[in-house]
Amino acid sequence: PLHVLLEKTSDWDKDERYMATNDLCSILSKDQKLTEEMEKKICAAVLKQLDDPSNDVQSVAVKCLSIVLKKVNQTQIGEVCTKLCSLILDGGKDALRDIYSIALRGLITDVPDTMGTLVSDLLTSRLLSGMVRAGSDDIKRECIDNMTELLKRFGHLNECDHVDIMNIVTKQLEHEKAILRKRSANCVGALAVVSSDALLNQLVTALLDQIALSEGKSAVHTRMLIQTIGTISRTVGYRLGRHLPRIVPLFLRFCGDASDESQQTDEANELRESCFPGLESFVHTCPREVEEFLPQI
């Protein structure tokens, strides 16, 4: 019975805890009806196991949570959502933050479509606050990753926050850590897909302005901005067509002159390498708009 398994999830023996949670997964995978009280107890037990000393128990708890979230009501999903987010932002131990984040990404991916508005409302502002907070880069990274998943699944539901998301995430493209710059570029790509045409134009114009300002300064920052434009091109396709008259000449200028010895530095080569995938993407996704630039490309 469920109440016996729930008791065993707190057993002193990690093998017992693991088996109990695994059995719970099996039972919940079947068409098992739960009372509201039982839903609460199961959610509490599984959330507690995300802190378990055993990695195996943590892993099975993440798996169990993804099954539980398909069975429980809106109140429980809201509570789990809030709890996981607060563990990432405030409460949890640093070593467990990636476990909480995996669980939250699982929640975003697995909850029923009908819960999208609730999840989006609960998470958007909290994740944004984690990105702007001074201090832990790990927290920023997990918030950016979860925002990317949220935009992919429910980005059409938090439209009123798209401008804030754009401003905050594009700021992270300047971060000193490469991993945060890369994750931010992925997030910008996910945002571009669900952006209105007006916001997409604003986003691309802002990035191009930053590229123009960065010229002759930080090659790392310029490269990241160019890679972000390439990411956007791959995610939005033909919608980028109207910007090609400004983008393509800029990319070609950064490719430089192959016969100029002074441009054969590692830095210049890395910049070129960042431009090529973007140019390739424009040819694939905007064939009509790119036609006039094909000879130069």
Side-chain angles (χ1 to χ4, degrees):
L2 284 173
H3 67 271
V4 174
L5 289 177
L6 284 176
E7 280 176 26
K8 287 187 176 178
T9 61
S10 299
D11 197 272
W12 64 270
D13 183 343
K14 71 174 184 185
D15 291 336
E16 284 289 342
R17 297 197 301 275
Y18 177 88
M19 289 307 299
T21 311
N22 205 37
D23 290 347
L24 203 55
C25 285
S26 301
I27 291 173
L28 293 171
S29 296
K30 296 167 187 156
D31 193 20
Q32 173 85 22
K33 292 278 184 280
L34 302 172
T35 64
E36 194 170 334
E37 188 184 355
M38 185 55 76
E39 283 182 9
K40 274 186 184 176
K41 286 180 178 175
I42 291 171
C43 286
V46 177
L47 281 172
K48 185 182 171 194
Q49 286 194 322
L50 295 176
D51 289 340
D52 200 276
S54 160
N55 288 344
D56 290 338
V57 175
Q58 287 176 0
S59 297
V60 80
V62 170
K63 177 185 163 193
C64 191
L65 195 58
S66 70
I67 297 167
V68 168
L69 292 169
K70 292 172 183 166
K71 311 277 291 185
V72 298
N73 65 37
Q74 194 160 320
T75 306
Q76 295 311 316
I77 284 180
E79 286 181 10
V80 171
C81 208
T82 305
K83 175 72 173 171
L84 287 173
C85 205
S86 66
L87 284 169
I88 292 168
L89 292 172
D90 307 310
K93 306 158 195 162
D94 287 350
L96 294 174
R97 188 168 285 116
D98 61 336
I99 291 286
Y100 305 140
S101 193
I102 289 166
L104 186 59
R105 286 201 294 280
L107 181 149
I108 294 166
T109 308
D110 294 329
V111 292
D113 289 341
T114 51
M115 305 289 185
T117 302
L118 170 77
V119 169
S120 198
D121 288 349
L122 284 172
L123 290 183
T124 302
S125 61
R126 286 183 170 93
L127 293 175
L128 285 175
S129 75
M131 289 181 214
V132 297
R133 185 186 299 186
S136 170
D137 289 339
D138 288 342
I139 293 176
K140 281 188 180 180
R141 189 185 71 241
E142 301 301 359
C143 287
I144 291 167
D145 284 352
N146 277 288
M147 180 63 81
T148 304
E149 292 306 314
L150 189 64
L151 287 167
K152 284 179 183 173
R153 176 93 196 271
F154 298 121
H156 58 293
L157 297 174
N158 59 3
E159 200 173 338
C160 60
D161 296 298
H162 283 182
V163 173
D164 285 342
I165 296 169
M166 179 187 78
N167 291 333
I168 290 169
V169 177
T170 51
K171 191 77 183 149
Q172 300 302 322
L173 294 171
E174 302 170 28
H175 201 280
E176 61 188 25
K177 287 195 176 170
I179 185 77
L180 276 168
R181 296 195 300 269
K182 189 174 180 185
R183 301 292 174 86
S184 300
N186 290 339
C187 192
V188 170
L191 174 64
V193 175
V194 290
S195 293
S196 64
D197 286 342
L199 187 70
L200 179 62
N201 294 337
Q202 192 182 333
L203 172 62
V204 174
T205 301
L207 290 171
L208 289 170
D209 288 345
Q210 281 192 52
I211 291 172
L213 288 171
S214 72
E215 211 171 338
K217 295 178 189 170
S218 165
V220 171
H221 187 211
T222 305
R223 199 162 66 241
M224 191 68 250
L225 293 167
I226 285 173
Q227 286 169 352
T228 305
I229 296 272
T231 300
I232 292 172
S233 174
R234 287 189 292 279
T235 58
V236 304
Y238 71 92
R239 292 176 68 205
L240 203 65
R242 63 185 293 178
H243 293 280
L244 292 196
R246 189 176 172 197
I247 295 174
V248 175
L250 195 62
F251 274 45
L252 290 173
R253 192 161 81 245
F254 282 119
C255 286
D257 181 357
S259 61
D260 184 343
E261 279 296 318
S262 69
Q263 294 184 18
Q264 304 311 313
T265 63
D266 287 346
E267 206 171 70
N269 285 333
E270 284 178 5
L271 204 48
R272 273 184 202 103
E273 198 178 349
S274 298
C275 292
F276 295 152
L279 291 170
E280 182 183 4
S281 178
F282 307 147
V283 172
H284 279 304
T285 59
C286 308
R288 195 171 71 246
E289 293 86 349
V290 85
E291 196 169 350
E292 63 179 290
F293 303 106
L294 288 178
Q296 294 161 276
I297 291 172

